[in-house]
């Protein structure tokens, strides 16, 4: 495929195919450095805290949380929506950017997909714990049962959610794993010890890389990308319908599906930035995950952040324009009532801060990007908190008014879920190839520094032959 | 069973350019192994188009029908419920609420059915011993598998391959 020689290269440092193999396999084959161990110890400590808080929740019941009859969804669903939203960026990078043939996805898609899977696992733990009796999750499935002809209610968005999250998780998992197979084969074929050879051989499923297999592999990737794209949009649409199909002011909004999807991509890209800025530094992948990649992701953060901002303002406008006093009250109360500080944090972090990315200097500044990516995720957490808690705490009649504060157990489960997430991600970064080698090698002849130099020297004819 | 020798190339473009000249001289190329997908390679060595996308469509259609049957049976036939004064006594009135379920079921079946078919057809499964003519084939070498049934012609064939861009010619695993 032709690519203009003046377009910035995606792989720096004159890397050959063999260099890519070496650079990506080195962290797996070598010993973990002390940064990895420190991160891992902190993450596992948080994970153990999570285990304790979940054990208390399961043992005692969700009475140990701060939720009450008035605010009956609190941090649990806030965290669920936050984590599911974060997951969306991985699918966006691997599926939507594949359909749009955006080659810059190639060095970030693997870790973004891993992030998706781990984020959805975290989200699922909140679904399981919030049902109160987590040993009965199969009640959510349409199974024949001993209670007569009692089925799940397919009119309910909560059941749609069960189907959406299950499908999303399993499809993302096979998409990710199928992409990993050729890279596991790379590690298998260069294994120095018999243990490495055995384990990676097992994971590689006997992959050979014959042209017939590659032909099917490419078709499978393309079709999976094609069906994952509407799937990922459907997941957060359905999550938003958990709220939008109710009659509660602040939830009953037709704008929710697109607004939730944009917010999900917004927060997901922020999390990808947080993770990759650390990963590229710790694993020394600066030649593959370049400032160009960071700039590109920041542009998406800017676009989706602006969509989210417009959605907030539209919501406010419609609350007034509808003339419904409950709706108007809900929004005025959101901005000036008991939880005004949550609303103010949300507006600052999500609407104001991403606008700074209009400046190229800031978009390409790695420290600034890192800080802002965390700010965005704080903002997106507050968005879900505002929607859920501020809408619930002032319903139609004053007898339905109350407040909500999380208990230490709820806070513990949230902090612990970050531990779960980072434990899984660190294990991934230690044992799995964090960059899709077999995919990245396809652009060595068109988008590496040496290819660009050649193209500039000889004109266009040598860029690529196919 | 046919016997094969393996020509090792260090550049995918050189390998591709030499397929036509080699085939015109009667060389029978069985497969090409590469560390990454090469566009047009399948066509060049005569592989038919894969029908895996058609399979996916069929699985998706089955998933769609399955969900339609399931919602119809559970919500309309077996146990109609009056929810919010909107009883589910007729499928066509109730079906908008089932669209998400039908969609998710179609995607679930299409994706998993296709991936399973891919694994089975490509014999890519846990515990399968890989066919590795040269260990560098997943790193930076491109391996051409060439039929060589007549041992007396092996030297000629080797020379021909070397003349056509091959870096070396070898037997399996050596």
């Amino acid at each position: 495929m032709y690519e203009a020689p003046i377009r910035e290269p995606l792989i720096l440092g004159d890397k050959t195919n063999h260099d890519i193999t070496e650079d990506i396999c080195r962290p797996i084959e070598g010993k973990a450095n002390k940064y990895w161990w420190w991160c891992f110890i902190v993450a596992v400590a948080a994970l153990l805290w999570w285990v304790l808080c979940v054990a208390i929740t399961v043992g005692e019941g969700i009475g140990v949380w701060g939720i009450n009859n008035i605010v009956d969804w609190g941090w649990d669903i806030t965290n669920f929506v936050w984590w599911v939203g974060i997951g969306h960026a991985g699918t966006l990078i691997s599926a939507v950017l594949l359909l749009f043939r955006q080659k810059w996805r190639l060095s970030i898609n693997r870790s973004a997909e891993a992030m998706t899977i781990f984020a959805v696992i975290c989200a699922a733990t909140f679904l399981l714990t919030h049902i109160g009796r987590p040993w009965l999750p199969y009640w959510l499935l349409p199974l024949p049962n001993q209670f007569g002809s009692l089925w799940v209610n397919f009119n309910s968005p909560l059941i749609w959610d069960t189907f959406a999250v299950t499908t999303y998780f399993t499809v993302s998992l096979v998409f990710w794993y199928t992409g990993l197979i050729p890279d596991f084969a790379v590690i298998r074929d260069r294994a120095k010890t018999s243990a490495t050879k055995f384990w990676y051989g097992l994971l590689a499923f006997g992959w050979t890389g014959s042209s017939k297999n590659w032909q099917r592999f490419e078709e499978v990737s393309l079709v999976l990308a094609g069906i994952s794209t509407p799937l990922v949009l459907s997941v957060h649409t359905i999550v938003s319908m958990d709220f939008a199909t109710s009659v509660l002011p602040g939830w009953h909004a037709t704008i929710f599906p697109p607004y939730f999807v944009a917010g999900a991509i917004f927060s997901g890209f922020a999390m990808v930035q947080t993770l990759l800025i650390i990963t590229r530094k710790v694993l020394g992948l600066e030649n593959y995950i370049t400032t160009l990649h960071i700039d590109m992701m920041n542009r998406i953060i800017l676009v989706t952040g602006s969509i989210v901002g417009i959605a907030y303002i539209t919501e406010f406008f419609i609350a007034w324009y509808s003339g419904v006093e409950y709706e108007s009250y809900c929004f005025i109360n959101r901005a000036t009532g008991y939880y005004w500080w949550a609303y103010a944090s949300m507006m600052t972090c999500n609407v104001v801060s991403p606008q700074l990315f209009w400046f190229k200097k800031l978009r390409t500044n790695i420290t600034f990007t890192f800080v802002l990516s965390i700010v965005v995720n704080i903002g997106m957490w507050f968005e879900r908190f505002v929607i859920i808690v501020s809408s619930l705490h002032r319903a139609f009649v004053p007898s339905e008014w109350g407040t909500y504060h999380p208990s230490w157990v709820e806070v513990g489960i949230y902090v612990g879920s970050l531990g779960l997430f980072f434990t899984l991600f660190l294990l991934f970064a230690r044992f799995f190839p964090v960059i899709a080698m077999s995919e990245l090698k396809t652009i060595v002849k068109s988008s590496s520094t040496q290819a660009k130099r050649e193209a500039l020297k000889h004109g266009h004819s040598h860029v690529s032959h196919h | 069973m046919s016997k094969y020798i393996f020509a090792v190339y260090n550049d995918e473009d050189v390998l591709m350019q030499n397929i036509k000249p080699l085939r015109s001289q009667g060389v029978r190329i069985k497969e090409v192994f590469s560390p990454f997908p090469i566009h047009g390679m399948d066509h060049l060595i005569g592989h038919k188009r894969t029908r895996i996308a058609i399979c996916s469509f069929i699985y998706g259609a089955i998933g769609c029908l399955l969900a339609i049957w399931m919602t119809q049976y559970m919500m309309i036939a077996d146990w109609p419920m009056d929810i919010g004064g909107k009883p589910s006594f007729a499928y066509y009135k109730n079906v908008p609420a089932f669209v998400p379920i039908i969609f998710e079921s179609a995607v679930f079946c299409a994706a998993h059915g296709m991936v399973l078919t891919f694994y089975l057809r490509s014999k890519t499964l846990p515990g399968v011993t890989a066919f590795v003519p040269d260990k560098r084939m997943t790193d930076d070498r491109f391996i051409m598998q060439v039929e060589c049934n007549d041992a007396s012609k092996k030297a000629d064939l080797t020379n021909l391959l070397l003349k056509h861009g091959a870096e070396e010619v070898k037997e399996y695993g050596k």
Side-chain angles (χ1 to χ4, degrees), chain A residues 288-327:
Chain A
Y288 301 103
I289 301 164
T290 64
T291 29
L292 177 74
H293 292 91
I294 290 168
D295 184 12
M296 291 305 216
M297 288 192 276
N298 281 338
R299 290 178 199 198
I300 292 185
I301 291 179
L302 175 60
V303 171
T304 49
S306 303
I307 296 174
V308 168
I310 289 170
Y312 292 164
I313 296 162
T314 309
E315 243 189 343
F316 228 95
F317 171 76
I318 294 294
W320 165 75
Y321 188 68
S322 69
V324 180
E325 59 179 320
Y326 298 107
E327 195 76 20

Side-chain angles (χ1 to χ4, degrees), chain A residues 356-405:
Chain A
L356 295 169
F357 278 153
W358 284 106
F359 302 102
K360 186 164 183 162
K361 266 227 162 76
L362 295 175
R363 278 206 310 273
T364 49
N365 183 317
I366 288 163
T367 319
F368 179 80
T369 302
F370 183 73
V371 173
L372 204 92
S373 71
I374 292 171
V375 169
V376 165
N377 264 320
I378 294 172
M380 284 308 292
W381 189 89
F382 272 115
E383 178 201 294
R384 280 65 178 248
F385 181 81
V386 164
I387 292 171
I388 292 169
V389 175
S390 89
S391 306
L392 283 172
H393 92 292
R394 293 285 183 274
F396 296 95
V397 289
S399 63
E400 290 178 293
W401 290 11
T403 55
Y404 159 78
H405 300 277

Side-chain angles (χ1 to χ4, degrees), chain B residues 56-73:
Chain B
S56 179
F57 179 80
I58 294 167
Y59 298 132
I62 291 170
C64 179
L65 291 173
L66 209 67
I68 291 174
W69 169 79
M70 180 174 73
T71 46
Q72 201 280 334
Y73 170 70

Side-chain angles (χ1 to χ4, degrees), chain A residues 17-18 21 142 149-155 159-160 163-164 166-168 170-171 174 177-178 181-182 185-186 188-191 197 201-202 204-220 223-224 227 230-231 234-235 238 241 438-439 441-442 445 465-466, chain B residues 11-13 16-17 31-39 41-42 45 47-50 52-53 56 70-71 73-75 78-79 81 83 94 97-98 100-101 103-104 107-108 110-112 114-115 118-119 121-132 135 137-140 142:
Chain A
N17 287 330
H18 183 65
T21 310
S149 303
L150 185 68
W151 301 107
V152 293
N153 178 10
F154 285 119
N155 295 293
I159 291 304
W160 305 347
F163 276 73
T166 311
T167 305
Y168 183 49
T170 57
V171 172
V174 297
Y177 197 84
T178 304
I181 286 175
V186 177
R188 173 197 69 201
D189 289 346
R190 49 182 273 129
K197 194 177 166 61
L202 196 65
F205 286 12
W207 176 261
T208 58
S210 69
S211 68
K212 187 68 196 173
N213 283 3
W214 277 125
Q215 179 201 44
R216 292 197 185 110
F217 179 93
E218 292 239 281
E219 190 92 343
V220 165
V223 175
L224 275 181
I227 56 183
L231 173 65
S234 85
V235 174
I238 290 173
M241 284 170 178
S438 59
E439 290 182 78
K441 285 173 187 172
T442 59
K445 284 212 167 183
H465 299 275
H466 40 269
Chain B
D11 188 303
E12 72 270 32
D13 291 331
M16 276 182 101
Q17 284 155 13
E31 252 303 357
V32 169
F33 299 90
S34 59
F36 54 84
I38 302 164
H39 287 278
M41 181 67 84
D42 49 344
I45 61 170
H47 288 316
K48 282 189 198 134
R49 243 202 105 165
T50 170
I52 208 152
S56 179
M70 180 174 73
T71 46
Y73 170 70
M74 291 178 187
M75 297 301 290
D78 195 42
W79 196 267
M81 276 191 279
I83 294 154
N94 214 184
F98 304 148
I101 299 284
F103 171 77
E104 298 298 338
V107 167
F108 187 93
H112 291 300
M114 176 179 61
V115 171
F118 166 58
Y119 287 173
R121 286 290 287 136
S122 306
K123 295 193 184 65
T124 306
L125 292 162
V128 171
T129 312
F131 182 80
V132 187
K135 286 196 171 193
M137 73 176 193
T138 48
D139 179 12
D140 64 345
F142 307 85

Side-chain angles (χ1 to χ4, degrees), chain A residues 231-277:
Chain A
L231 173 65
V232 68
L233 300 183
S234 85
V235 174
H236 230 60
T237 297
I238 290 173
V239 168
S240 82
M241 284 170 178
D242 291 347
F243 306 99
T245 55
S246 74
V247 291
L248 191 75
W251 285 9
H252 186 64
T254 45
I255 199 178
F256 264 24
Y259 150 31
F260 267 52
V261 170
I265 295 164
F266 179 52
S267 66
F269 268 91
M271 187 58 104
V272 175
Q273 295 279 36
T274 313
L275 290 175
L276 286 187
I277 288 173

Side-chain angles (χ1 to χ4, degrees), chain A residues 60-340:
Chain A
E60 295 274 316
I62 50 176
V64 294
W65 293 356
I67 51 172
N68 49 54
N69 272 344
I70 289 154
V71 183
D72 48 8
W73 275 356
W75 276 41
D76 49 353
I77 300 301
T78 303
N79 297 333
F80 159 69
V81 181
W82 189 70
W83 276 122
V84 168
I86 284 172
H88 280 47
T91 318
L92 196 98
I93 290 169
S94 57
V96 181
L97 296 185
L98 186 149
L99 297 181
F100 283 107
R101 296 180 189 276
Q102 291 298 309
K103 302 285 184 190
W104 59 271
R105 78 174 192 283
L106 294 173
S107 40
I108 55 172
N109 58 1
R110 171 69 45 73
S111 39
E113 280 174 56
M115 177 199 76
T116 293
I117 287 154
F118 305 147
V120 177
I121 290 173
C122 289
T125 65
F126 288 100
L127 283 187
L128 281 181
T129 48
H130 102 291
I131 60 175
R133 283 182 283 175
W135 51 93
L136 299 172
Y138 59 91
W139 284 14
L140 290 162
L141 304 174
L143 297 170
N145 55 67
Q146 69 270 48
F147 309 115
S149 303
L150 185 68
W151 301 107
V152 293
N153 178 10
F154 285 119
N155 295 293
S156 164
L158 300 178
I159 291 304
W160 305 347
D161 230 2
T162 310
F163 276 73
V165 174
T166 311
T167 305
Y168 183 49
F169 177 69
T170 57
V171 172
S172 302
L173 191 66
V174 297
F175 198 0
W176 183 60
Y177 197 84
T178 304
L180 271 164
I181 286 175
D183 282 0
F184 284 142
V186 177
I187 305 171
R188 173 197 69 201
D189 289 346
R190 49 182 273 129
K192 300 243 163 27
T193 67
S194 57
T196 316
K197 194 177 166 61
F198 173 77
W199 286 112
Y200 286 96
L202 196 65
L203 288 169
F205 286 12
W207 176 261
T208 58
S210 69
S211 68
K212 187 68 196 173
N213 283 3
W214 277 125
Q215 179 201 44
R216 292 197 185 110
F217 179 93
E218 292 239 281
E219 190 92 343
V220 165
S221 306
L222 184 65
V223 175
L224 275 181
I227 56 183
S228 295
T229 302
L231 173 65
V232 68
L233 300 183
S234 85
V235 174
H236 230 60
T237 297
I238 290 173
V239 168
S240 82
M241 284 170 178
D242 291 347
F243 306 99
T245 55
S246 74
V247 291
L248 191 75
W251 285 9
H252 186 64
T254 45
I255 199 178
F256 264 24
Y259 150 31
F260 267 52
V261 170
I265 295 164
F266 179 52
S267 66
F269 268 91
M271 187 58 104
V272 175
Q273 295 279 36
T274 313
L275 290 175
L276 286 187
I277 288 173
I278 301 173
T279 308
R280 74 195 278 277
K281 187 90 199 150
V282 172
L283 301 184
L285 300 172
E286 285 94 340
N287 282 325
Y288 301 103
I289 301 164
T290 64
T291 29
L292 177 74
H293 292 91
I294 290 168
D295 184 12
M296 291 305 216
M297 288 192 276
N298 281 338
R299 290 178 199 198
I300 292 185
I301 291 179
L302 175 60
V303 171
T304 49
S306 303
I307 296 174
V308 168
I310 289 170
Y312 292 164
I313 296 162
T314 309
E315 243 189 343
F316 228 95
F317 171 76
I318 294 294
W320 165 75
Y321 188 68
S322 69
V324 180
E325 59 179 320
Y326 298 107
E327 195 76 20
S328 311
Y329 172 75
C330 172
F331 279 86
I332 291 168
N333 178 53
R334 221 176 238 192
T336 61
Y338 188 74
Y339 292 107
W340 69 269

